[in-house]
Amino acid sequence: MSTRTPQLFTRGAPLWFRQSLYLLLALFAIIVDNHFHQLNALRNLVYLTLQPFQTVANLPSSLMSHTAGLFSNQLELAAENKRLKLELLKANISIQDKELLSKKNAELEALIGIKGHYNTAMQISQTLYAVHNPFHEKLMIDGGSSQHYQVGSPVVTSAGLIGQITQLFPHSSEVTLVSDKNLSVPVENLRTGYRSFTEGEGVNDLFDVMYVPITSDFKVGDEMVSSGLGGLYPAGIPVGQVISVTRENNSAYFKIQCKTNHVMRTGHYLAILSPINDGELAEKIKPLQEEPSSLDKKKVTKKKK
Amino acid sequence: MIISSTHTSIKKPAPMSRIILTLVVAVILTLLPWSGYALLIEPNWILIVLLYWGIHEPRVVNGSAFFIFGLFSDVAQSSVLGVHAFSFSVIFWLLSTYRQRILTFYAANQALHLLPAFLLNQTIIALIIYITSATLPHWLWFVQSFLSAICWLITPYLVEIKLTSKSS
């Protein structure tokens, strides 16, 4: 207590000096973190300090789900078991179908010489909590750099794509959702095959499909799946459903609003697909780059003749 | 019913445990799994408690505390590091200029004087995030400041009533 008695004379640096120092430090942190992403050690340190408080804050919801599990009766469990068995049966049948198809597909691709294979290796994780940020739509999930997760990995649930890993901590990682304003996913309309890309709206699990001309065929209820362009997200993963198609102020493009398939924020299982490494991606792009050059050569030889 | 610090006689300095406890409660309130609109308009608990102690115990909760809890807010929201630290430091600078003046008011008047501080905090954060990542928040987010100012009215009760009952 004696250390905090009022002092007659101020000690240390004057206020303006101290506060400008803090402001400069904060500005430095903002610039370094935003442009060079070099402050992960500091972020990890602060994150670890906050971890116990986060556990306490998550206690009520985890307790609720725990007690709900405790008091679920036998009838419910039996019904759930039956439902799950049916789903497993259905899934197994569709997998048999899929295996046949993928075999055929592989043969056809080998015939034409395209490499269309994706890494299907996946890791199973669980959502921890929604990140507290009014500017971004993010989730924290279990497991991080210690589980060899990678930044950029697509994250999917049974309902479809939910987003991409954007930040790694030792034992948890941050997933930016499809509805985040800064995330774009190349998508395809399952009904018409029209390809475009998404842009998140930032609220309520909504995203827009961008730059769709008003002449194209888009209807409310259309399923959007990932198109596989760009190579990051495997093709054919459900992303969302069109909920409104409007045209604003004689614009040449539709405003197409979609809702993501996932609604769950905590305590649910999800799969992390491994991202395609750069070598594979380069291999895919290679044939496209070579073709025009070979054409040019032909043109040159023709001109010479 | 209105509490004013000037009407009580000379106060003992608040015990360190009380300051730490209230700050911990503010951090936990912030980290609760809020979602949707509740997340948008949730009062800035950390800033409310920081301001309270910044006014009443400026020797303990000083610029460093504002800066460190700013970093905590940044990591809790997983925003760019330093955004909250910057705006909290600006708020502390202003606060230390107007502290004596704010101390003479009743809680309601204090809330009115702190509302601009809450709004300034949000404006600075929104500006920096707009510059760094070109995203603007939903307009409802600014309701947060008004809710924070309303929460300011009950903050002295929550903190001080417990304090007197403990000391007596």
Side-chain angles (χ1 to χ4, degrees):
Chain A
M1 206 59 80
S2 58
T3 50
R4 286 201 281 114
T5 44
Q7 287 158 352
L8 282 176
F9 305 101
T10 49
R11 211 169 40 176
L15 177 78
W16 67 267
F17 181 77
R18 269 181 292 140
Q19 282 317 108
S20 354
L21 211 67
Y22 281 131
L23 289 183
L24 277 177
L25 206 61
L27 263 185
F28 173 76
I30 291 168
I31 292 166
V32 171
D33 193 33
N34 193 43
H35 288 278
F36 309 107
H37 306 282
Q38 293 295 322
L39 286 177
N40 279 341
L42 177 64
R43 191 182 282 275
N44 281 346
L45 184 76
V46 182
Y47 184 78
L48 278 180
T49 330
L50 281 177
Q51 208 50 44
F53 303 118
Q54 185 68 63
T55 323
V56 175
N58 285 342
L59 262 181
S61 60
S62 55
L63 258 180
M64 281 239 285
S65 62
H66 184 71
T67 43
L70 220 63
F71 290 108
S72 65
N73 59 43
Q74 203 184 351
L75 272 177
E76 273 175 31
L77 284 177
E80 199 187 349
N81 198 9
K82 197 179 170 188
R83 188 176 58 80
L84 288 175
K85 271 183 185 165
L86 274 175
E87 270 178 21
L88 186 65
L89 187 70
K90 277 184 198 165
N92 275 338
I93 291 169
S94 68
I95 282 173
Q96 286 169 8
D97 215 29
K98 198 198 148 206
E99 273 174 3
L100 190 71
L101 281 174
S102 61
K103 206 176 169 187
K104 275 185 186 174
N105 202 24
E107 278 170 19
L108 285 172
E109 276 171 356
L111 212 63
I112 319 169
I114 309 174
K115 278 198 172 176
H117 294 292
Y118 289 101
N119 275 335
T120 44
M122 59 168 84
Q123 286 165 295
I124 302 298
S125 174
Q126 206 174 7
T127 51
L128 290 176
Y129 56 91
V131 171
H132 183 278
N133 189 327
F135 293 87
H136 295 285
E137 297 269 290
K138 287 174 182 175
L139 271 185
M140 280 315 246
I141 62 170
D142 206 11
S145 46
S146 60
Q147 270 78 23
H148 306 294
Y149 290 177
Q150 282 170 292
V151 170
S153 305
V155 180
V156 296
T157 64
S158 55
L161 184 76
I162 69 161
Q164 188 186 12
I165 293 183
T166 47
Q167 179 90 44
L168 285 177
F169 295 105
H171 296 288
S172 52
S173 19
E174 181 190 290
V175 176
T176 301
L177 302 182
V178 179
S179 49
D180 187 275
K181 276 180 181 169
N182 288 343
L183 195 74
S184 278
V185 180
V187 287
E188 180 180 333
N189 188 331
L190 196 61
R191 187 171 58 86
T192 61
Y194 188 88
R195 284 174 172 181
S196 184
F197 62 93
T198 69
E199 195 183 281
E201 288 202 0
V203 277
N204 296 336
D205 296 331
L206 296 174
F207 64 89
D208 293 340
V209 179
M210 305 302 288
Y211 305 117
V212 177
I214 49 165
T215 49
S216 49
D217 180 17
F218 259 84
K219 279 181 195 164
V220 172
D222 280 356
E223 281 282 340
M224 302 305 298
V225 298
S226 60
S227 68
L229 285 179
L232 180 65
Y233 304 96
I237 301 177
V239 181
Q241 223 174 14
V242 177
I243 56 165
S244 82
V245 181
T246 46
R247 191 185 167 193
E248 278 178 352
N249 303 333
N250 295 331
S251 154
Y253 302 108
F254 277 135
K255 179 176 167 54
I256 296 173
Q257 209 175 40
C258 304
K259 194 160 179 68
T260 52
N261 288 328
H262 62 95
V263 247
M264 312 306 184
R265 291 275 154 129
T266 49
H268 286 268
Y269 290 102
L270 32 81
I272 296 140
L273 309 179
S274 51
I276 286 179
N277 60 45
D278 291 337
E280 280 176 67
L281 206 66
E283 220 171 273
K284 268 184 199 169
I285 298 168
K286 227 180 185 175
L288 288 175
Q289 285 170 337
E290 276 175 0
E291 262 176 78
S293 60
S294 58
L295 280 175
D296 287 342
K297 277 177 193 167
K298 277 178 192 171
K299 275 178 192 171
V300 173
T301 46
K302 272 178 189 174
K303 273 176 189 173
K304 278 180 182 172
K305 282 173 188 174
Chain B
M1 285 304 284
I2 303 162
I3 280 189
S4 165
S5 44
T6 49
H7 288 233
T8 53
S9 51
I10 298 169
K11 282 198 321 186
K12 292 177 197 166
M16 199 64 188
S17 59
R18 174 69 49 183
I19 298 174
I20 292 171
L21 183 75
T22 46
L23 280 169
V24 165
V25 168
V27 169
I28 289 173
L29 276 175
T30 307
L31 291 173
L32 281 178
W34 305 81
S35 64
Y37 287 118
L39 170 65
L40 268 183
I41 62 171
E42 176 207 353
N44 197 335
W45 308 110
I46 293 181
L47 187 57
I48 293 173
V49 175
L50 274 179
L51 280 174
Y52 185 84
W53 293 123
I55 289 171
H56 293 278
E57 294 288 334
R59 275 175 215 89
V60 183
V61 180
N62 50 16
S64 327
F66 272 68
F67 186 82
I68 289 166
F69 277 88
L71 279 184
F72 278 175
S73 296
D74 283 328
V75 175
Q77 295 200 3
S78 90
S79 54
V80 178
L81 268 185
V83 177
H84 285 80
F86 185 87
S87 73
F88 281 15
S89 295
V90 173
I91 301 295
F92 180 77
W93 199 340
L94 282 176
L95 183 75
S96 39
T97 322
Y98 291 103
R99 194 183 82 84
Q100 291 300 334
R101 181 187 161 92
I102 290 170
L103 263 175
T104 59
F105 292 130
Y106 292 106
N109 285 359
Q110 285 181 348
L112 271 183
H113 276 75
L114 290 174
L115 177 62
F118 289 122
L119 279 172
L120 180 69
N121 172 52
Q122 286 199 297
T123 316
I124 293 172
I125 291 169
L127 257 178
I128 296 175
I129 289 183
Y130 183 71
I131 293 166
T132 52
S133 61
T135 49
L136 279 174
H138 197 272
W139 64 269
L140 267 177
W141 182 58
F142 285 95
V143 174
Q144 193 198 76
S145 287
F146 296 92
L147 279 183
S148 302
I150 291 169
C151 283
W152 180 265
L153 298 178
I154 52 166
T155 315
Y157 289 94
L158 290 179
V159 178
E160 290 199 21
I161 282 177
K162 280 181 182 172
L163 199 75
T164 48
S165 68
K166 201 182 176 188
S167 62
S168 63

